[in-house]
């Protein structure tokens, strides 16, 4: 059993699903393998905020019993999973990385959590994150630092850094993250995973603790492109409980990934975004990132893609626009944390009036980055400054959307590095918010335009993973999967060929 245990935590989720359906392993065995590994390694890694081993095993045993009973089970039944702690889970602690929600056990499930439960997945636990998903390193968590499995002295990205670290270290086969300005794609990039931000409105936001409602989307973080497509299909589709949910069916994604893996991209038009690391726009981009990216573009070309440069001038303004819009929405969304309805209540000793209790609760319950955003957003929305800040940022948002729209006249997808750098050392940017924000340079345009974007690994720079971003028009998420799967397969083939060369060289 011990050999099998080792294998189970390195097996991708699609293969786990096959082993489970074929009766070659039980859900309890798979779950126990992951729980053992969490027990052994998470003390050091810090990926999880909450693990309930007993509940996970109970769910797994129920799935096994149903299977033994001959019940009709879906393809995901019995596969373990981790959820970012921003996803509300009934009866399971949910903090969004904040002291203000410490100890809160929500009375309901987010739609994403409910769908995954209905699919028979086994919840291993809730993963660490930057407080209220504000950050790019997970260092803004009120609870703990999470380490990058590739180098324990480096950040795992953020804000879904608990999810990225858990999957990259084999402490979950896959996980759900959320992405407002890059929080699925950037942590996936810096830990060597696949991460996809779906088209805005295609995955329900019901029960995601709101950061910036016009931007937030949940999505998959996985080891393979096919796994991401499978997990995405399980959470997608219309939800009447989310007023911005698109009335469309579940997209066909796994099929696109399988087709992509066959490697045929003849006739596909790929645009390399000049403003994201291209000529004259390389400031802040590490040379190793740019060369890994260029190699991946060449691989796509070798598969038959037609590659050209595409200029999107308004992308240069995405960073300031996002850092006005997201804090503005956050300042409004976070008003609900008032010490009255749920979570922390500070200073309620009978002598203080309601306003004082609210002020004290927010003073003690929110960390510095969250306060910074609330202050910034409140300022940007205030009557004297609304037009100059929030209004201008919305205009830039429209210009960015127009850049995408005109790009789609010429190309099928746009590509760029996912992040300008590899994972940086823990602590290096905590005192420099602007440097922290700069990590989002490449991911923000797709967020502001609501279009889908995937990050897929494209090699290493100085031994650390680099991510390749593929952006597609709204509702064409399948294109992201097709291109990402083609790249993944081509890289595997190239690695295989190099390995054989080395073997031949060694034998000579
Ligand atoms: N790093 C960005 C921010 O701090 C994006 C966060 C996210 O996507 N949740 O706002």
């Amino acid at each position: 059993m011990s050999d099998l245990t080792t294998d189970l935590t390195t097996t991708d989720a699609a293969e786990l699903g096959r082993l489970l359906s074929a009766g070659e392993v039980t859900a309890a065995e798979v779950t126990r393998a992951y729980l053992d590994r969490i027990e052994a390694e998470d003390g050091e890694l810090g990926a999880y905020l909450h693990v309930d081993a007993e509940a996970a095993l109970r769910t797994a045993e129920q799935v096994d019993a149903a299977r033994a009973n001959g019940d009709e089970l879906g393809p995901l039944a019995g596969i373990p999973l981790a959820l970012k702690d921003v996803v509300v889970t009934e009866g399971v602690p949910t903090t969004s990385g904040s002291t203000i929600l410490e100890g809160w056990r929500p009375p309901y499930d987010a739609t994403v959590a409910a769908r995954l439960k209905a699919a028979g997945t086994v919840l291993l636990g809730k993963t660490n994150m930057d407080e209220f998903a504000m950050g790019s390193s997970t260092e803004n968590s009120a609870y703990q630092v999470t380490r990058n499995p590739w180098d324990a002295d480096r950040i795992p990205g953020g804000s879904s850094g608990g999810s990225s670290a858990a999957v990259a270290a084999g402490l979950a086969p896959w996980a759900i993250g959320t992405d407002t300005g890059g929080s699925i794609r950037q942590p996936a990039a810096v830990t060597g995973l696949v991460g996809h931000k779906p088209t805005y409105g295609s995955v329900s936001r019901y029960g995601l603790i709101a950061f910036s409602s016009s931007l937030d989307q949940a999505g998959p973080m996985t080891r393979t492109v096919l796994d991401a497509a499978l997990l995405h299909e399980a959470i997608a589709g219309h939800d009447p409980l989310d007023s911005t949910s698109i009335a469309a069916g579940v997209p066909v994604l796994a099929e696109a990934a399988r087709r992509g893996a066959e490697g045929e991209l003849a006739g596909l038009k790929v645009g390399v975004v000049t403003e994201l690391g291209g000529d004259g726009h390389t400031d802040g981009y590490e040379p190793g990132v740019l060369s890994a990216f260029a190699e991946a573009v060449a691989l796509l070309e070798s598969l038959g893609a037609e590659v050209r440069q595409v200029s999107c001038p308004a992308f240069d303004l995405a960073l300031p626009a996002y850092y006005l819009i997201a804090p503005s929405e956050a300042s409004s969304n976070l008003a609900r944390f008032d010490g009255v309805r749920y979570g922390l209540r500070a200073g309620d000793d009978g002598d203080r009036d309601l306003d004082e209790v609210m002020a004290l609760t927010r003073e003690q319950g929110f960390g510095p980055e969250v306060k910074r955003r609330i202050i910034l957003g409140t300022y940007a929305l205030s009557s004297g400054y609304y037009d100059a800040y929030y209004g201008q940022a919305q205009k830039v948002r429209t210009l960015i959307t127009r850049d995408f729209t005109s790009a789609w006249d010429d190309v099928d997808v746009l590509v760029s590095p996912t992040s300008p750098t590899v994972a940086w050392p823990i602590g290096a940017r905590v005192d420099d918010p602007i440097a922290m924000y700069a990590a989002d340079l490449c991911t923000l345009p797709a967020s502001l335009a609501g279009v889908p974007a995937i990050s897929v690994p494209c090699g290493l720079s100085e031994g650390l993973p680099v991510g390749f971003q593929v952006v597609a028009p709204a509702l064409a998420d399948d294109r992201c999967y097709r291109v990402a799967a083609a790249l993944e397969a081509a890289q595997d083939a190239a690695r295989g060929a190099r390995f054989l060369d080395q073997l031949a060289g060694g034998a000579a």
Side-chain angles (χ1 to χ4, degrees):
M1 183 64 216
S2 66
D3 276 357
L4 189 56
T5 304
T6 320
D7 283 344
L8 289 176
T9 56
T10 54
T11 306
D12 62 55
E15 175 64 5
L16 281 179
R18 196 194 63 73
L19 292 171
L20 285 159
S21 315
E24 290 177 36
V25 291
T26 65
E29 282 168 343
V30 179
T31 302
R32 211 168 294 121
Y34 277 100
L35 290 171
D36 286 350
R37 191 143 176 191
I38 293 170
E39 173 85 29
E41 291 177 28
D42 200 43
E44 177 73 13
L45 194 67
Y48 284 92
L49 288 174
H50 175 82
V51 175
D52 187 341
E54 259 176 51
L57 283 170
R58 220 178 312 123
T59 312
E61 280 158 12
Q62 281 162 5
V63 173
D64 289 333
R67 201 183 303 278
N69 195 36
D71 294 2
E72 195 67 44
L73 296 178
L76 268 49
I79 306 179
L81 163 98
L83 292 177
K84 184 179 182 180
D85 207 31
V86 73
V87 181
V88 159
T89 40
E90 185 179 352
V92 179
T94 302
T95 66
S96 205
S98 182
T99 305
I100 212 159
L101 281 175
E102 192 165 357
W104 184 51
R105 289 181 187 254
Y108 69 105
D109 272 326
T111 297
V112 164
R115 288 190 178 168
L116 291 167
K117 209 184 246 183
T121 62
V122 176
L123 179 63
L124 291 168
K126 307 291 293 289
T127 54
N128 195 26
M129 55 183 284
D130 285 302
E131 185 176 6
F132 287 108
M134 297 171 187
S136 305
S137 68
T138 312
E139 292 162 299
N140 293 336
S141 166
Y143 297 99
Q144 66 202 29
V145 167
T146 300
R147 297 176 180 280
N148 189 321
W150 289 77
D151 176 347
D153 294 326
R154 290 177 188 262
I155 56 109
S159 63
S160 313
S163 287
S164 65
V167 178
L171 309 192
W174 54 11
I176 294 291
T178 58
D179 190 311
T180 302
S183 281
I184 288 174
R185 291 162 283 163
Q186 181 260 9
V190 302
T191 57
L193 299 180
V194 178
H196 181 75
K197 181 200 84 79
T199 297
Y200 179 80
S202 67
V203 173
S204 173
R205 287 184 298 108
Y206 179 73
L208 305 184
I209 294 173
F211 165 12
S212 180
S213 304
S214 75
L215 296 159
D216 299 342
Q217 275 293 286
M221 301 176 73
T222 61
R223 292 186 211 140
T224 70
V225 177
L226 178 61
D227 278 1
L230 291 168
L231 190 55
H232 185 162
E233 284 179 352
I235 58 172
H238 180 63
D239 179 12
L241 297 173
D242 170 0
S243 64
T244 57
S245 170
I246 298 169
V250 174
V252 180
L253 304 170
E255 189 47 41
R258 288 195 181 98
R259 214 160 13 98
E262 285 159 20
E264 189 45 51
L265 292 180
L268 185 89
K269 297 196 191 85
V270 173
V272 175
V273 182
T274 310
E275 284 72 14
L276 302 179
D279 285 350
H281 298 267
T282 52
D283 256 13
Y285 288 80
E286 286 171 356
V289 167
L290 292 177
S291 61
F293 172 72
E295 272 178 42
V297 171
L299 260 185
L300 291 183
E301 222 163 3
S302 75
L303 298 175
E306 294 168 23
V307 178
R308 65 188 75 171
Q309 293 284 321
V310 174
S311 175
C312 298
F315 285 17
D316 279 342
L317 298 170
L319 198 93
Y322 171 87
Y323 278 97
L324 286 165
I325 292 169
S328 295
E329 294 186 15
S331 71
S332 164
N333 273 326
L334 269 52
R336 76 193 61 179
F337 300 103
D338 55 10
V340 176
R341 283 167 289 188
Y342 39 70
L344 181 77
R345 177 178 303 170
D348 185 14
D349 55 11
D351 292 336
R352 290 191 174 85
D353 67 20
L354 182 61
D355 283 348
E356 284 176 300
V357 171
M358 282 185 187
L360 258 182
T361 301
R362 290 167 68 81
E363 160 72 36
Q364 289 179 20
F366 290 138
E369 182 61 24
V370 173
K371 286 179 184 155
R372 178 162 30 239
R373 306 263 182 130
I374 292 173
I375 292 167
L376 222 131
T378 307
Y379 186 80
L381 291 175
S382 60
S383 60
Y385 296 99
Y386 184 96
D387 289 340
Y389 293 110
Y390 184 75
Q392 283 295 100
Q394 288 291 20
K395 286 181 193 159
V396 170
R397 189 173 189 176
T398 303
L399 294 177
I400 289 170
T401 303
R402 282 193 197 150
D403 277 355
F404 275 115
T405 310
S406 53
W408 306 139
D409 289 341
D410 296 328
V411 295
D412 301 306
V413 293
L414 288 170
V415 299
S416 73
T418 307
S419 170
T421 71
V422 294
W424 58 87
I426 288 172
R429 298 192 189 184
V430 277
D431 297 323
D432 186 350
I434 303 292
M436 191 71 88
Y437 301 168
D440 311 329
L441 265 181
C442 308
T443 49
L444 295 174
S447 298
L448 289 164
V451 294
I454 201 165
S455 180
V456 59
C458 69
L460 304 176
S461 167
E462 291 171 27
L464 293 164
V466 177
F468 185 89
Q469 179 174 238
V470 184
V471 186
L475 293 174
D477 297 62
D478 58 332
R479 263 185 230 171
C480 296
Y481 284 103
R482 181 177 161 215
V483 176
L487 185 59
E488 178 184 60
Q491 293 181 119
D492 283 350
R495 255 193 303 275
R498 270 200 303 275
F499 181 65
L500 289 178
D501 278 354
Q502 276 166 8
L503 280 185

